[in-house]
Amino acid sequence: MLLDLWDRATTTQPPLTWPVSLLLGVVALALTWSPAGYRLVRHLVTLVHEAGHALVAALVGRRLTGIRLHSDTSGVTVSRGRPRGPGMVATVLAGYPAPALVGLAGAYLLGAGYAAGLLWGLVLTCALMLVLIRNLYGLWVVLATGASVALLSWSVSGRMLSAVAYLVVWSLLLAAPRSVVELQRQRRRRGGRGSDADQLARLTGLPAGLWIVAFWLVCAVCLVLGVRELTQGLG
């Protein structure tokens, strides 16, 4: 069983042609910019966002105590350690760029033919997050995401597997900058004093708006580089 999983995860598939990839990009664009579609994609973005917080918190030596994912597509990752300093700044900073960076890394993996590896990596991420989830809704989101991707990765053909992986990567790349725009809108409407940008402002003394610009620039650069990788051969 484990050998079969390893074989599936490491088997390579030829990258999709740029017209097919671009078509999947259009589908992902329609998803991320429609209310119902964005809400669905936003759950995946939030999952990766919180995984980014958790990974960096662990890397800088903070002790993770739990992750919560909520039905309004928000989330929170709680860790213990020094309340200020570079480690705390890095932990808070990691969230919004994470989906864009994962999307960009995914684009390069797809270019190398590792569509299956990308999807099984997402399954592994969900499995690791299960031990940190502290609410029922978050548990449902992680289980549903991991199980759905695992089922697809195990059962569909290589070309369909590639299509699913491309759609996931396109969705992450396109939704990441939109989530930053939504952050700014929420701050204008509600004040947003608990947002990542506002936490960074308190930690560093730099304005929250500057951190939002930084988030958006990272997401925009990843989108440009990711699109270039996903549409190789265009023009």
Side-chain angles (χ1 to χ4, degrees):
M1 179 69 170
L2 289 177
L3 287 177
D4 287 341
L5 284 175
W6 179 254
D7 286 342
R8 285 177 177 271
T10 56
T11 298
T12 58
Q13 296 86 26
L16 298 180
T17 61
W18 72 259
V20 175
S21 176
L22 193 59
L23 177 61
L24 291 168
V26 172
V27 173
L29 183 64
L31 279 173
T32 54
W33 287 96
S34 66
Y38 180 64
R39 185 174 180 82
L40 180 64
V41 173
R42 178 68 176 162
H43 283 297
L44 175 61
V45 170
T46 301
L47 191 154
V48 177
H49 176 117
E50 300 305 330
H53 284 312
L55 174 62
V56 173
L59 290 175
V60 300
R62 298 183 63 81
R63 187 164 69 88
L64 289 165
T65 58
I67 297 173
R68 291 176 177 269
L69 304 175
H70 302 127
S71 59
D72 64 355
T73 71
S74 66
V76 61
T77 297
V78 180
S79 63
R80 292 183 179 178
R82 291 183 58 191
R84 305 187 72 86
M88 186 62 185
V89 171
T91 298
V92 178
L93 181 61
Y96 277 94
L101 293 170
V102 170
L104 179 59
Y108 286 113
L109 283 173
L110 293 176
Y114 290 104
L118 171 67
L119 293 179
W120 282 110
L122 179 56
V123 174
L124 178 61
T125 299
C126 290
L128 293 174
M129 288 185 71
L130 283 176
V131 300
L132 295 170
I133 293 294
R134 296 293 181 266
N135 66 324
L136 285 175
Y137 188 83
L139 182 65
W140 181 86
V141 169
V142 174
L143 278 174
T145 302
S148 299
V149 175
L151 181 62
L152 282 169
S153 300
W154 185 263
S155 60
V156 302
S157 65
R159 192 158 182 81
M160 180 60 70
L161 191 72
S162 293
V164 172
Y166 271 76
L167 188 59
V168 168
V169 168
W170 272 111
S171 296
L172 287 173
L173 288 170
L174 290 166
R178 178 169 182 181
S179 68
V180 179
V181 173
E182 291 294 319
L183 166 64
Q184 180 62 5
R185 288 177 179 170
Q186 290 173 4
R187 290 186 70 254
R188 286 175 178 170
R189 290 196 302 264
R190 307 173 189 172
R193 289 175 293 179
S195 73
D196 290 0
D198 291 283
Q199 291 183 60
L200 287 167
R202 290 192 292 271
L203 288 167
T204 65
L206 298 174
L210 183 62
W211 290 108
I212 291 174
V213 171
F215 292 157
W216 192 87
L217 285 174
V218 171
C219 293
V221 169
C222 288
L223 176 59
V224 171
L225 294 176
V227 169
R228 186 175 68 179
E229 182 66 23
L230 291 170
T231 57
Q232 282 194 10
L234 177 61

